[in-house]
């Protein structure tokens, strides 16, 4: 049976959350997955939603997720599709689900006139890098990802630094 890609629906929340936890385990970073089911529901299906999701189904079972949001590039004055999480269950790897999810997001980016589609890859995730390269994606070494979080973010945001 072929892989089916569709937009995520509220009924998919348990599978999406389970796949997020599996993704954390896969990356050996389970402590990164701390969100609640209610917050995930609000993010994907609130009014307005913070982000969007697509799911991959195989034999009627959700086996993959692509969670994304739009950002904006002021240099090009066009939106950018940012892929936050792409994960396919180990049982469905090699089925084409990951590629089908990325193709669906590519179609979203084209339909929304996005300047580009981007995402981050954990430095140690060589399999993902090979997968993305096979699809024509390229690493951009001219940019580094930086972030503030936890106490540092709180200190900056409250002026206590």
């Amino acid at each position: 049976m072929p892989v089916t890609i569709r937009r995520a629906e509220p009924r998919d929340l348990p599978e999406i959350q389970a796949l997020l936890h599996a993704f954390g385990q896969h990356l050996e970073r389970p402590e990164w997955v701390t969100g609640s089911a209610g917050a995930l529901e609000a993010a994907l299906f609130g009014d307005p939603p913070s982000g969007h999701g697509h799911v991959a189904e195989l034999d009627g079972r959700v086996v993959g997720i692509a969670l994304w949001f739009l950002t904006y590039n002021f240099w090009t004055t066009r939106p950018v599709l940012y892929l936050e999480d792409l994960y396919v269950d180990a049982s469905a790897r090699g089925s084409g689900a990951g590629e089908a999810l990325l193709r669906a997001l590519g179609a979203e980016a084209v339909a929304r006139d996005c300047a580009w589609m981007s995402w981050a890859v954990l430095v140690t995730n060589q399999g993902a890098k090979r997968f993305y390269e096979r699809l024509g994606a390229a690493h951009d070494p001219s940019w580094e990802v930086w972030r503030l979080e936890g106490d540092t973010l709180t200190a900056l945001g409250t002026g206590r630094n």
Side-chain angles (χ1 to χ4, degrees), residues 90-148:
S91 69
R93 297 213 184 110
S95 68
E99 182 173 340
L101 282 164
L102 273 182
R103 287 188 185 282
L105 267 57
E108 285 281 348
V110 169
R112 294 168 183 267
D113 191 36
C114 290
W116 62 77
M117 188 168 107
S118 62
W119 58 92
V121 180
L122 194 61
V123 172
T124 58
N125 195 343
Q126 299 304 318
K129 292 176 189 181
R130 286 189 300 274
F131 169 70
Y132 295 132
E133 287 172 347
R134 184 175 59 78
L135 295 177
H139 173 247
D140 183 351
S142 57
W143 295 93
E144 295 178 350
V145 176
W146 289 61
R147 70 188 194 190
L148 289 166

Side-chain angles (χ1 to χ4, degrees), residues 71-107:
T71 184
Y72 194 80
N73 180 268
F74 289 94
W75 294 357
T76 63
T77 60
R78 292 170 60 200
V80 171
L81 190 152
Y82 189 85
L83 172 60
E84 182 64 31
D85 291 303
L86 175 72
Y87 182 73
V88 174
D89 187 73
S91 69
R93 297 213 184 110
S95 68
E99 182 173 340
L101 282 164
L102 273 182
R103 287 188 185 282
L105 267 57

